[in-house]
Amino acid sequence: MASASVMLVQPVGEMWQKIREELNENVNTRDQDLAAIKDWLKKQPHLPDEWEDRCLLTFLRGCNFSLEKCKRKLDMYFTMRAACPEFFTNRDITRPELMDLMSRAQGPTMPGLTPAGRRVTICRGLDKNLDTHQLNDAFKIAMMIGDVRLMEEIEGVAGDVYILDASIVAPSHLGKISPSALKKFFICVQEAYPVKLKEVHVVNSTPLIDTLFNIIKPFLKEKMRNRIHFHSDYKALHEYVPKELLPEEYGGTSCALNEINLAWVKKLEEYKDWFLKQESLVANESLRPGKPTNYDELFGIDGSFRQLSID
């Protein structure tokens, strides 16, 4: 079984060097950049005074060490923590509803890295009777994994590849999907997390997925829409993702996805106390200089991203 202690293999050697260059990371000035962000954070009355250095470094890397972009991302991250308690509170993976969901749907990040230094995450449902009312909990777990990665991507990666398995999507799901939940989730992914999304591969795609994509499309930036690929079988997927990084369920030679998923359950259990401490680290809009964030404007289901200007 995949050990939770080796969930994320870190880049070394030539790959490490290439990733440093891609992230615009200068090991000689990195500590100065980190100190500048920490100093900025202390001066923001509406944001937490302190946060783990590891998390801040992950944000800097995700922003190519642009201090201004990093500040905007961090502000949005803590803003979303306050604005979306359905995603960022009660994050105890041992709660029965979350354990049940982890047994009926999976979204683990694989341990290894592609030749380009990218991390691969695979999401699939196992139960055709999954109810869309569990969508918020699914998004919660996805961001729990994302937060663990803020801590444990010690060397940084050159981006992310997501594989979405559409095999259990049914017509009954489409009418029950909450546009509000979708929009909040995609704002988090695109604006609040230091994610460099390089590719999205939808496997077991059917005409029904085209309909679902049309529902989701308004919430996606054009850059992200252009990075989505649809595949009817796994053979086409292998042209993008090496077999050694894919589990056996997808024609690969890595650990079974079930094993990786169980290892992530254990890892999330280890972070139980950490998640609880994080709940108080949110933006306080009553202390924000200038105009407080208007959640209604931010989350209005009108396709508008007026407030979101981060590249």
Side-chain angles (χ1 to χ4, degrees):
M1 177 177 167
S3 168
S5 64
V6 294
M7 280 305 303
L8 299 175
V9 176
Q10 299 299 314
V12 295
E14 186 177 345
M15 180 184 289
W16 180 88
Q17 184 60 45
K18 287 183 177 179
I19 290 174
R20 299 280 74 70
E21 293 172 5
E22 187 165 336
L23 299 182
N24 196 34
E25 180 173 351
N26 184 331
V27 295
N28 297 315
T29 59
R30 178 177 59 197
D31 289 347
Q32 294 173 231
D33 294 332
L34 176 60
I37 286 295
K38 293 173 71 172
D39 184 59
W40 171 83
L41 201 57
K42 288 179 180 178
K43 293 177 179 177
Q44 307 310 304
H46 63 298
L47 298 181
D49 288 339
E50 294 182 328
W51 205 28
E52 281 89 351
D53 286 5
R54 281 188 180 185
C55 295
L56 295 174
L57 271 173
T58 302
F59 267 84
L60 278 165
R61 288 172 175 140
C63 297
N64 285 60
F65 279 80
S66 163
L67 295 182
E68 292 310 307
K69 184 175 180 180
C70 184
K71 292 172 186 177
R72 294 195 302 270
K73 280 268 188 184
L74 282 169
D75 196 318
M76 182 60 79
Y77 176 80
F78 290 115
T79 296
M80 293 303 288
R81 277 194 173 196
C84 303
E86 64 270 36
F87 296 160
F88 293 101
T89 60
N90 298 316
R91 299 198 295 175
D92 178 355
I93 198 63
T94 63
R95 288 171 53 215
E97 58 267 42
L98 297 186
M99 289 296 286
D100 174 65
L101 185 54
M102 287 288 279
S103 70
R104 300 169 68 203
Q106 301 171 337
T109 297
M110 301 296 287
L113 291 162
T114 71
R118 297 170 183 173
R119 198 74 76 185
V120 177
T121 298
I122 303 175
C123 304
R124 68 169 180 173
L126 301 175
D127 184 351
K128 291 186 177 181
N129 295 318
L130 272 173
D131 197 319
T132 52
H133 82 269
Q134 295 173 292
L135 199 59
N136 279 342
D137 278 344
F139 292 157
K140 183 200 296 276
I141 292 172
M143 284 180 278
M144 288 170 70
I145 291 175
D147 278 358
V148 169
R149 290 185 59 193
L150 292 179
M151 287 285 287
E152 300 214 356
E153 293 288 11
I154 298 170
E155 299 295 346
V157 296
D160 279 84
V161 176
Y162 277 80
I163 299 170
L164 312 179
D165 188 335
S167 57
I168 71 158
V169 178
S172 60
H173 293 141
L174 300 190
K176 299 178 183 177
I177 291 176
S178 163
S180 175
L182 285 174
K183 185 165 188 180
K184 287 181 179 181
F185 176 69
F186 284 115
I187 291 175
C188 282
V189 170
Q190 296 176 109
E191 311 295 345
Y193 275 82
V195 176
K196 289 178 172 292
L197 190 60
K198 299 296 186 179
E199 300 170 17
V200 176
H201 299 280
V202 182
V203 297
N204 295 314
S205 183
T206 66
L208 179 63
I209 300 307
D210 293 335
T211 303
L212 178 59
F213 182 58
N214 286 331
I215 295 174
I216 295 173
K217 192 185 296 185
F219 308 132
L220 301 178
K221 290 183 174 183
E222 183 179 1
K223 182 168 64 175
M224 185 178 285
R225 292 198 297 265
N226 293 336
R227 293 176 179 176
I228 300 176
H229 310 272
F230 297 88
H231 311 294
S232 58
D233 56 41
Y234 301 143
K235 191 173 182 180
L237 177 65
H238 297 160
E239 297 177 11
Y240 293 89
V241 183
K243 286 187 178 182
E244 58 266 26
L245 285 179
L246 293 171
E248 55 194 38
E249 295 96 328
Y250 293 87
T253 58
S254 184
C255 297
L257 197 62
N258 286 334
E259 293 184 9
I260 300 294
N261 194 63
L262 288 172
W264 267 107
V265 171
K266 183 178 178 182
K267 175 62 71 176
L268 294 174
E269 287 180 11
E270 293 173 2
Y271 271 80
K272 177 180 176 179
D273 292 340
W274 185 84
F275 284 132
L276 184 60
K277 291 177 182 177
Q278 297 298 301
E279 289 193 16
S280 63
L281 301 181
V282 299
N284 183 340
E285 294 302 327
S286 68
L287 298 178
R288 180 186 292 275
K291 182 182 177 184
T293 300
N294 185 316
Y295 295 159
D296 289 337
E297 289 183 14
L298 188 61
F299 298 138
I301 308 303
D302 59 1
S304 172
F305 281 78
R306 287 186 301 272
Q307 294 193 17
L308 308 181
S309 59
I310 301 170
D311 181 17

